[in-house]
Amino acid sequence: MNALLQSPADDALWVVCLCAEWCGACREYRPLFEQVAQAHPALRFAWVDIEDHAELADDFDVETFPTILVAGGDGTRFIGPLLPHAETLSRMLSALQPAQPSAAEVNALLSALRAAPERFEVRP
């Protein structure tokens, strides 16, 4: 296992926006998503285009944009469509449910994010 996969940051929850470049709502949501990332520095935020990264996102069967995934090493806290409002995402992040075991596609996506965070991570 490489050193990146063993870093303490692996314990942080990932907040992943599963989106598509062609989606106008997603393009408008990106700056708001970045604002939420600034307000929650203990979490890691990632933007995953489901078409550019189909090998990671196809199994999610995203039908509604934006779809948000909140997951970490302890499991999945949330996955589903969410209104594209910064306040809605912030409220949801403040009231996360206990982790549930993650599905295989969630574990695969998290592994890819950890292996190459620079490709996906939204940094304040």
Side-chain angles (χ1 to χ4, degrees), residues 45-58:
F45 286 74
W47 193 264
V48 177
D49 187 303
I50 65 165
E51 292 180 345
D52 290 347
H53 303 285
E55 75 283 1
L56 298 172
D58 272 355

Side-chain angles (χ1 to χ4, degrees), residues 47-93:
W47 193 264
V48 177
D49 187 303
I50 65 165
E51 292 180 345
D52 290 347
H53 303 285
E55 75 283 1
L56 298 172
D58 272 355
D59 290 338
F60 288 95
D61 294 324
V62 174
E63 294 180 11
T64 304
F65 296 105
T67 291
I68 302 294
L69 166 68
V70 181
D74 65 344
T76 299
R77 306 286 182 111
F78 177 85
I79 185 166
L82 194 70
L83 290 174
H85 301 117
E87 301 83 22
T88 303
L89 178 57
S90 283
R91 273 195 315 267
M92 188 267 292
L93 293 174

Side-chain angles (χ1 to χ4, degrees), residues 14-52:
W14 282 91
V15 180
V16 182
C17 184
L18 298 164
C19 58
E21 179 58 35
W22 55 260
C23 173
C26 293
R27 286 192 308 271
E28 291 174 14
Y29 186 49
R30 176 104 190 212
L32 300 175
F33 189 77
E34 291 171 357
Q35 288 176 356
V36 175
Q38 289 178 340
H40 296 272
L43 304 174
R44 297 181 81 176
F45 286 74
W47 193 264
V48 177
D49 187 303
I50 65 165
E51 292 180 345
D52 290 347

Side-chain angles (χ1 to χ4, degrees), residues 1-14:
M1 182 177 259
N2 71 33
L4 182 63
L5 295 178
Q6 295 173 351
S7 73
D10 284 354
D11 293 339
L13 288 175
W14 282 91

Side-chain angles (χ1 to χ4, degrees), residues 91-116:
R91 273 195 315 267
M92 188 267 292
L93 293 174
S94 297
L96 286 172
Q97 299 300 310
Q100 300 297 316
S102 292
E105 63 268 17
V106 171
N107 289 329
L109 178 60
L110 291 177
S111 291
L113 294 175
R114 289 180 190 120

